[in-house]
Amino acid sequence: MLFRYAHYPGADSVLLADCRILSLALAVSWRWDRDDQLPDGRRRGRQWLAQMQAGLDRREHAAGGGH
């Protein structure tokens, strides 16, 4: 995981995880922008998309809706 909750003592871990997922969603959408000039944009976008999906899966599992 790229993100360590210990850096934010006392923070709501669910809210923090949701913010991380939202941030990844924004970054992933930028990688698919036609004018994206960053190196390895699509490959990086796929990696971040997988991280975002894993975060959503963990969130769903923690809420009792596991697969």
Side-chain angles (χ1 to χ4, degrees):
M1 179 183 285
L2 295 173
F3 197 60
R4 303 280 186 251
Y5 298 119
H7 293 280
Y8 306 96
D12 180 333
S13 62
V14 173
L15 179 60
L16 217 47
D18 287 349
C19 289
R20 177 65 179 160
I21 292 168
L22 178 59
S23 296
L24 281 170
L26 288 167
V28 166
S29 70
W30 296 332
R31 298 297 62 89
W32 265 266
D33 186 297
R34 180 185 326 206
D35 297 324
D36 182 23
Q37 300 285 320
L38 294 176
D40 270 350
R42 294 288 169 114
R43 185 182 64 80
R44 180 70 66 184
R46 286 189 295 276
Q47 289 174 339
W48 291 342
L49 186 60
Q51 290 177 14
M52 189 177 75
Q53 185 61 54
L56 288 169
D57 289 346
R58 280 190 301 274
R59 188 179 189 284
E60 182 178 333
H61 182 72
H67 293 91

